[in-house]
C-alpha cells in the first residue's frame, strides 16, 4: 500500500495535483525567463490535461494578486515594527521602493505557484480524469 504524497510538499514542488508526482512545468527553474511558464499538455505520470479549458489560466491573476497583497501586508508590518513609518523621514517611500523591488523579483515564482494553486482548486488528489 503506497503512502499518499504530502499536499503542501507537492504544491511547493509544483507537482500535478492529481497524482502529486508529475512535474507541472517543463523547466524545473524559472530560467530562462521566456520559458518559465512552459507546461506539458498532460501530466507525464497520470495523463491529466493541465489546461482544463481554453483561457483557463486567466484566473491565476487573481491568485497571484491575492498572494502579492498578502506579502505586501506582511512586509509592511515587519517594516513598521523594525523601521517605522513616518512622513518626515520618507520611510513610506523607502518601503514602497523595497516592496516594488521585492515583488518584481518574486513575480516569476508567484506566477508559477499561482498556476499550481489554481489548478489544485479544480483538481483534487486522485479525482482528476485524464481527457483522451
Amino acid at each position: 500500500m503506497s503512502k499518499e504524497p504530502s499536499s503542501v510538499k507537492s504544491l511547493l514542488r509544483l507537482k500535478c495535483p492529481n497524482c502529486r508526482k508529475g512535474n507541472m512545468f517543463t523547466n524545473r527553474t524559472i530560467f530562462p525567463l521566456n520559458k518559465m511558464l512552459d507546461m506539458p499538455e498532460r501530466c507525464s505520470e497520470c495523463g491529466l490535461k493541465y489546461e482544463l479549458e481554453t483561457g483557463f489560466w486567466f484566473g491565476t491573476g487573481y491568485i497571484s494578486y491575492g498572494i502579492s497583497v498578502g506579502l505586501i501586508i506582511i512586509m509592511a508590518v515587519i517594516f513598521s515594527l523594525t523601521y517605522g513609518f513616518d512622513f518626515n523621514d520618507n520611510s513610506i517611500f523607502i518601503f514602497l521602493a523595497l516592496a516594488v523591488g521585492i515583488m518584481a523579483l518574486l513575480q516569476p515564482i508567484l506566477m508559477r505557484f499561482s498556476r499550481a494553486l489554481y489548478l489544485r482548486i479544480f483538481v483534487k488528489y486522485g479525482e482528476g480524469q485524464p481527457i483522451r
Side-chain angles (χ1 to χ4, degrees), residues 93-113:
F93 299 110
I94 294 170
F95 169 73
L96 288 176
L98 283 172
V100 167
I102 290 170
M103 293 312 298
L105 291 174
L106 287 178
Q107 196 56 40
I109 296 167
L110 289 177
M111 290 170 68
R112 287 170 62 113
F113 183 76

